[in-house]
Structures are given as C-alpha cells and as structure tokens.
Amino acid sequence: PSFAGVMDWGGWAITLGDKFSDGTGQNHPGQFDGKFDAAPDIDHQNKQVQASISIWLRWLQLQIGFDAWRFDFVKGYAAEFVGLYCKKSAPAWAVGELWGDMQYDDSGLQHNQDRHRQDLVNWVNATDKQSTAFDFTTKGVLQEAVKNCQYWRLKDSSGKPPGLIGWMPKHAVTFIDNHDTGSTQRHWPFPDDKVL
C-alpha cells in the first residue's frame, strides 16, 4: 500500500501559535495540550490529521504486525484523541504515559497522592477507557518506600495500594523505570540497589 499524500503534512497539521507553525493550521492548542518545544504540536483536532493517523495505525497493524500502542507524552494532547485513535484502530491493548508532578512537602513525598492518581483516573476515563495508563503514582510511592524503608507508604488510608492500581487495577500498568525515568536519561530513577 502507498502512503502517497496520507502523511504529507505541512503547516496545516500544526497548531496555530506553535513555533513551527506557518499560520495555515486550523486550531490553537486545546486546553489539555502540554508544550513540547522540541517538536511541532500536531493539531489533533484537525479531521485530516485524525484520518491520516488512523490510516497509519491500521497500516502498522495490518502490514507490519503491531497489535498494541504505547502513547508517549500524553499530556501533550487531549486524552479524547487517544480514545479516538484506539477506536479507529482497535488495538489489542494500549497504554499512555502521563507523567505528572507528585505532591512533596518539607519532609519529602507526601503520603496522600490521591490528586496524582486522580489525574491518571481522569485521563483513562477521558480516553473512554480505551487505554490503560502507566502507574506513575505507584512508581513514585514504591521507590520512596524502598529507598527509605518506609513500607507504611504502600497502602492508602483505605488499605488499598496507593497508586492507580488501588483505584483502577484493570487500567494500571505498574513499572519501576522507563526510558525517561531510568535507563540512560535517569530523570527519576528507581534506586539501583533495590533492583534485583
């Protein structure tokens, strides 16, 4: 199959006001669009962009053999678009990377991280539950607990796990590190001496 014209994006596919925009786009960034200055902000509200991404995802499935999606930096665009792309491509499974700030005070990580995990719940719900989410809340709480021998952190005030897994276990993907947090970037690494 040919992609001639399908993914030939110009300035029309970039949100207005973006530093890469040529002014021919249709929409300004949505209220949930986070800035990522290293690349153009794609206008996911644009129907032609939606159609071409959907075609590309189906091509990845049918021609290449992919059967699941990992959506990176999902705070860069509204969750509804992840839901839309999943509905259009019907993956076996999907996960989004919503890495938000946890709550800290003078003594370190606060015990109650309900706001953080509620953000994950809200994101999953906004995809119409078409995608799971990496459980950054559990990652943050778990690494704090093992680093400081504070195992009391591993349950919330209701006796449940303190991350997304405690509220929406079917939609929580637990992990201890990924390409951003650990590996070579090490922006927020799990303690090396605690990994078996």
Side-chain angles (χ1 to χ4, degrees), residues 110-172:
Q110 293 179 6
H111 181 242
N112 185 331
Q113 294 295 325
D114 287 351
R115 184 197 57 79
H116 191 270
R117 69 175 157 172
Q118 186 63 53
D119 289 345
L120 294 173
V121 167
N122 293 345
W123 185 85
V124 168
N125 285 334
T127 72
D128 200 21
K129 295 185 179 172
Q130 296 293 308
S131 181
T132 62
F134 284 117
D135 193 348
F136 276 91
T137 313
T138 291
K139 183 231 187 322
V141 171
L142 181 62
Q143 73 185 34
E144 190 78 8
V146 300
K147 181 170 62 176
N148 299 311
C149 295
Q150 297 174 336
Y151 299 106
W152 51 267
R153 291 182 175 277
L154 299 179
K155 62 181 180 177
D156 65 13
S157 60
S158 301
K160 294 184 175 185
L164 179 62
I165 196 171
W167 285 356
M168 291 181 85
K170 290 181 182 176
H171 290 86

Side-chain angles (χ1 to χ4, degrees), residues 5-6 8-9 12 45-53:
V6 174
D8 294 339
W9 290 354
W12 59 267
Q45 297 176 74
N46 182 304
K47 298 295 184 195
Q48 190 174 349
V49 167
Q50 293 174 9
S52 61
I53 289 175

Side-chain angles (χ1 to χ4, degrees), residues 15-49:
T15 56
L16 293 171
D18 184 79
K19 72 179 183 178
F20 296 99
S21 174
D22 65 5
T24 61
Q26 296 178 356
N27 303 291
H28 287 280
Q31 73 180 73
F32 298 109
D33 294 349
K35 291 296 292 172
F36 184 67
D37 291 330
D41 291 329
I42 301 303
D43 182 3
H44 291 276
Q45 297 176 74
N46 182 304
K47 298 295 184 195
Q48 190 174 349
V49 167

Side-chain angles (χ1 to χ4, degrees), residues 67-80:
D67 62 357
W69 309 135
R70 180 197 185 280
F71 293 93
D72 196 36
F73 192 72
V74 298
K75 64 182 177 182
Y77 47 99
E80 68 187 84

